[in-house]
Amino acid sequence: MPILDTRVPAVLLRIDRNPFHHGTLGAVRSLGRAGVEVHVVADSEGSPVRRSRFVSGMHPPPPPGSSTADIAAVLRRVAARVSRRAVLVPMDDASALAVNRLGDELTVGYLLPEQPHALAERVADKAELAAVCESVGVPHPVTLIPRSPAQAAEAAWQLGLPVVAKWSRPWLIPAGTGLRSTVVVHSVQEARALYLRTEDAGSRLLLQAFLPPGPDLDWFFHGYVARSGVTHGGGPGRKHRAWPRGAGLTAVGRWTPNPQLQALVERLTEALGYRGVFDLDFRRDAATGRYHLLDFNPRPGAQFRLFEDGAGLDVVRALHLDLTRRPLPAPAPRPGRAFVVENYAPLGALRPRSAGRELAWHARDDRAPGRAMWGLWARHVSLRLTRRVGRLLRRPAAAAETNGTTEAVGTTAEPREPTGAPGVTVPEAADAAAAVMERPVITSADPAVVRPRGGPVARKDPRSAQVPAPLTARPAGHVYRSLADDEKASSC
């Protein structure tokens, strides 16, 4: 393990209220095991993280939706309590963007990477990311940005159903709206109805070409770009199991060498001048072999501990070493190393544990968080099941009241849980691949279009079309299928 400067504490910041964010626990353990004093600014109510023996202090976070000034005030209070300059580690998108905006204002109490101004916001914003990929030549799914409900319906036809719908700034979605950061849309009526929720979501709606999931198609890349511009502490990984199925967070991942993906990532970070920790999500197009960048998270990914190398380096330790002016050890990759999130992949966690595998919650030197997680998870699942049974029991009565009348578009969708709860809905994204519809389109200049880069599409496919044409709406009858909240909310 590299020798960290234990005189310099660390402060982990997470605004998201997800109690099952295992990435925060991973950062606590990574730094705590190295002897660093770790303070956590996050919601501690019921959180298993607070049970870790490596936590030196828990501090109340700013509430969701806080202004940048409110977040700065909280961080100043924490800095006064810690009383020494600390390495600041944002653990979710909202935290990372606030820290990037505040910049020099925080340097009195914290050590931070010298990130180009507003770069974190550009790459985290789904609409801006499409433009960033276009500018640097990184493949990205065809992305349309409708400006009206009619354009949303036309764009869905143009891309070829099903399509992926995303809110450009998912961290702005208020709790309790029932909106998901990412869904699969199966009809033009759904696309139109979703656009009408734009004001509720707080950011623009994007429609993207649907790249079907499949074996060996979902990849991620974690790393830390040091002051020197060299990437440390991470590598490429393959997603073996996701929760929800198809495109959710990584439940089982494996460190898998991929020179093509590594070269693409290094070209991207160099072109942007990026500095700091990052977590990238890719999907490989099975027809073309190109890796399409789906998400750029300017903070540690929840499964970053997968990439602890033979020298004991991961992205969080690399950050601490670099900001305290300590040398970073030479890379010592451990391909084949696995990471399992027990509550999302319990069967995988029950298999005999090898030296090359790490569990997200259970650790022999820190058992309390794992025990607390299972108790909390059991209550969470029980509550979800109770609510779902209640909805199923209410449906016959509702059907009797309608007496056969036709429902309005969008009312067939099942009520959604607040976005603050982890995404435990089982999606049908894999089945949706079979529903892709072929249809010729006519060029028109309606919605804003961001074209992908990385070479021509070598087949006829509505996903390669760039602009929607006005077409007749299809019948309603499908419901939104959840892809993931992420980590994305953090998260995923």
Side-chain angles (χ1 to χ4, degrees), residues 157-160 437-442 461-462 465 469-472 474:
W157 264 125
Q158 180 271 323
L159 291 169
M437 299 187 62
E438 301 284 339
R439 185 176 179 90
V441 296
I442 304 170
D461 189 330
L471 296 169
T472 306
R474 298 185 62 200

Side-chain angles (χ1 to χ4, degrees), residues 119-474:
L119 179 58
E121 195 149 2
R122 284 182 62 207
V123 297
D125 186 302
K126 312 302 182 187
E128 294 291 335
L129 179 61
V132 167
C133 289
E134 163 69 10
S135 67
V136 299
V138 170
H140 185 73
V142 179
T143 300
L144 305 181
I145 308 174
R147 293 185 289 267
S148 70
Q151 287 188 10
E154 292 171 1
W157 264 125
Q158 180 271 323
L159 291 169
L161 296 166
V163 298
V164 177
K166 297 181 177 181
W167 298 108
S168 64
R169 299 188 175 196
W171 59 90
L172 297 179
I173 299 174
T177 62
L179 292 171
R180 298 282 187 176
S181 62
T182 302
V183 295
V184 176
V185 169
H186 292 262
S187 73
V188 294
Q189 287 85 355
E190 291 174 14
R192 184 185 294 110
L194 196 57
Y195 183 89
L196 293 173
R197 302 293 306 278
T198 298
E199 185 174 351
D200 295 336
S203 64
R204 292 179 290 176
L205 177 68
L206 282 68
L207 296 177
Q208 281 185 350
F210 179 74
L211 297 175
D216 303 329
L217 297 182
D218 286 317
W219 291 75
F220 49 88
F221 197 105
H222 293 205
Y224 171 74
V225 184
R227 291 173 292 119
S228 63
V230 177
T231 301
H232 296 269
R238 186 159 60 88
K239 189 181 294 187
H240 286 257
R241 186 172 300 170
W243 186 263
R245 287 185 300 133
L249 61 82
T250 300
V252 179
R254 190 173 298 276
W255 191 339
T256 307
N258 189 327
Q260 179 185 352
L261 185 60
Q262 182 153 349
L264 180 66
V265 170
E266 290 175 353
R267 178 160 57 88
L268 172 63
T269 56
E270 181 179 357
L272 295 176
Y274 188 88
R275 296 293 183 270
V277 181
F278 64 85
D279 162 28
L280 310 181
D281 291 320
F282 291 88
R283 177 163 289 173
R284 183 169 62 86
D285 188 326
T288 66
R290 293 197 302 273
Y291 292 89
H292 291 251
L293 179 61
L294 303 181
D295 286 302
F296 191 129
N297 303 302
R299 37 85 182 165
Q303 72 274 28
F304 80 90
R305 283 290 302 162
L306 168 64
F307 297 107
E308 182 188 39
D309 68 10
L313 193 68
D314 60 31
V315 295
V316 171
R317 290 174 181 166
L319 170 71
H320 196 283
L321 285 168
D322 191 47
L323 295 183
T324 56
R325 301 301 195 265
R326 293 282 176 118
L328 286 97
R334 298 169 67 186
R337 177 172 160 82
F339 186 82
V340 179
V341 186
E342 303 95 302
N343 50 321
Y344 299 128
L347 295 181
L350 291 175
R351 294 191 180 97
R353 187 172 183 179
S354 65
R357 187 186 72 170
E358 180 165 328
L359 299 179
W361 293 99
H362 175 73
R364 291 174 182 171
D365 63 343
D366 190 30
R367 296 179 182 272
R371 290 194 294 263
M373 182 278 293
W374 282 119
L376 186 63
W377 185 253
R379 293 193 296 274
H380 170 73
V381 172
S382 176
L383 179 60
R384 296 281 299 230
L385 290 175
T386 301
R387 290 175 177 173
R388 183 153 301 178
V389 170
R391 288 197 296 266
L392 290 174
L393 293 176
R394 288 194 298 270
R395 280 180 179 176
E401 289 179 9
T402 59
N403 195 25
T405 58
T406 302
E407 293 180 343
V409 173
T411 59
T412 57
E414 186 176 301
R416 292 292 184 185
E417 298 292 337
T419 57
V424 297
T425 303
V426 178
E428 299 172 9
D431 298 334
V436 177
M437 299 187 62
E438 301 284 339
R439 185 176 179 90
V441 296
I442 304 170
T443 301
S444 162
D446 212 2
V449 179
V450 181
R451 301 173 182 266
R453 296 294 292 268
V457 177
R459 68 190 185 286
K460 292 183 179 180
D461 189 330
R463 290 177 293 159
S464 65
Q466 300 300 321
V467 192
L471 296 169
T472 306
R474 298 185 62 200

